Amino acid sequence: MDQLTITDERTGKTYKLPIVDGTIRALDLRQIRVDDKDFGLMAYDPAFMNTASCRSSVTYLDGDAGILRYRGYPIEQLAEKCTYLEVAWLLLFGELPNKQQLDGWEKEVGHHTLIHENVKQIIDAFRYDAHPMGILIGVCAALSTLYKDASDVKSAQLRRLQMVRLIGKMPTIAAFAYRHSLGQRVTYPDNRASYTGNFLKMLFDVGGDWQSHPVLERALEILFILHADHEQNCSTNAMRAVTSSQVDPFSGVAAATAALYGPLHGGANEAVLKMLAEIGSVAKVPEFIKSVKAGERRLMGFGHRVYKNYDPRARIIKECAYKVFEVTGKNPLLEIALELERIALQDAYFVDRKLYPNVDFYSGLIYQAMGFPTEMFPVLFAIPRTAGWLAQWDEQTRDPETKIARPRQIYCGAAKRDVPPLVGRG
Ligand code: ACO
């Protein structure tokens, strides 16, 4: 067995820690003590930069090589050959569905697209200009009050039921939230349409005769596939941490959606659009790059914590963008984006720091061309990521090593002191 030998220079003692799957168990460090009163050595790792928090067989990611696979299948092949619901099944149940399973799954999800009228009333109660992510978070949490069986997280059968409910209802909640912001009557789900076709219809159909364009429907399908999971990212970590208390998955998805709402996670594509609009023209790109290199600003949509080669999703999205623009007409910001990318990819500043376009560099341009307002961008991320969150939740619930998430801390506060009387406190 591979081992790590550690000598504690405080005591001169030597320890041998087993190395399994390229990791040592953090708890094995606990035996390293100065004396019997010592709590034992801990690892300090804010933001879990070098800590594996779980074992997972859902998504494989190699940031240096630019590889992303769901259940072993390369993202490029899934984006080319599958529908979003096929990929959701793959993430949730581990294998691609056969034809019969897929037909049944589409029907099953379609059966759960409606939301209770009470939930619609909750959406109606939000102010007209409420952010749709805020509505999504609130409504997901509210669903737990309707589906009381969701608290039985030990039952595999009930877990499956909540997964279908959430995957079915997320587009409906999102579309109803959008229509609420417009002050428009909602369009109810049409289960004859595809998952994305139905979603587009609920968003944009007002008179009853609206048809989605097949190219745009497919583009959204591809974007949904690309966003379906990304191993232990911020929102997935939130899903795992929150549901480790065995709370129901509706509350868990509300928490994960809240994590996704933050600009460092689900909001970067909106920032890319703002940046492109601010640059304003191709002629101003060199000046902008100069300010980035001077450290005055960041080139939004570039760089990634994990991908230090290229983000494989960005390549697929770029191709997708061209197909969408053939239908919608070119987004006027595209030329600026292309010029930024061209210069950045040959500039030593970006090359040396391994900064490449990420998934957000082009996705905002596509969404804007398709007619989505910017507040809907993080919602368009949350809908497909629900499959990933649920796959990781189900895996965690079945994992015998799962315990309630409870990190340690290094206490840096005051030493023990006595409470002084109120009068006379500074
Ligand atoms: N533009 C200019 N310089 C950058 C950028 C950027 N977008 N990203 C990183 N750098 C530079 C940093 O200034 C730093 O330079 P230095 O070594 O001279 O100090 C170096 O590259 C390393 O940067 P870090 O911030 O340490 O990299 P980290 O891995 O922590 O950050 C992040 C990753 C947050 C994504 C960063 O690249 C960034 O802010 N990008 C822009 C925002 C963005 O597009 N986010 C979307 C990410 S994808 C997603 O969440 C779905």
Side-chain angles (χ1 to χ4, degrees), residues 232-240 252 255-257 259-260 265 381 385 389:
Q232 305 312 313
N233 56 88
C234 176
S235 56
T236 303
N237 183 57
M239 179 75 183
R240 280 186 176 261
T257 308
L260 189 67
H265 192 7
F381 194 155
R385 185 55 61 87
W389 291 332

Side-chain angles (χ1 to χ4, degrees), residues 264-265 268 292 297-305 308 349-350 353 355 358-360 381:
L264 294 188
H265 192 7
V292 171
R297 55 203 315 164
R298 288 213 157 187
L299 178 49
M300 299 311 285
F302 260 66
H304 197 278
R305 170 60 59 76
K308 298 299 177 194
Y349 176 94
F350 298 93
R353 289 170 178 75
L355 300 172
N358 60 46
V359 68
D360 289 316
F381 194 155

Side-chain angles (χ1 to χ4, degrees), residues 21 27 30 32-33 40 75 84 116 149-150 159 164 198 203 207 226 241 270 285 305 314 395 405 421:
D21 295 328
L27 265 183
R30 195 68 76 70
I32 303 175
R33 298 167 178 212
I75 191 69
Y84 171 70
H116 195 290
D149 55 4
R159 281 205 306 278
V164 188
N198 171 47
L203 287 167
L226 300 182
E270 185 180 345
V285 167
R305 170 60 59 76
E395 180 180 69

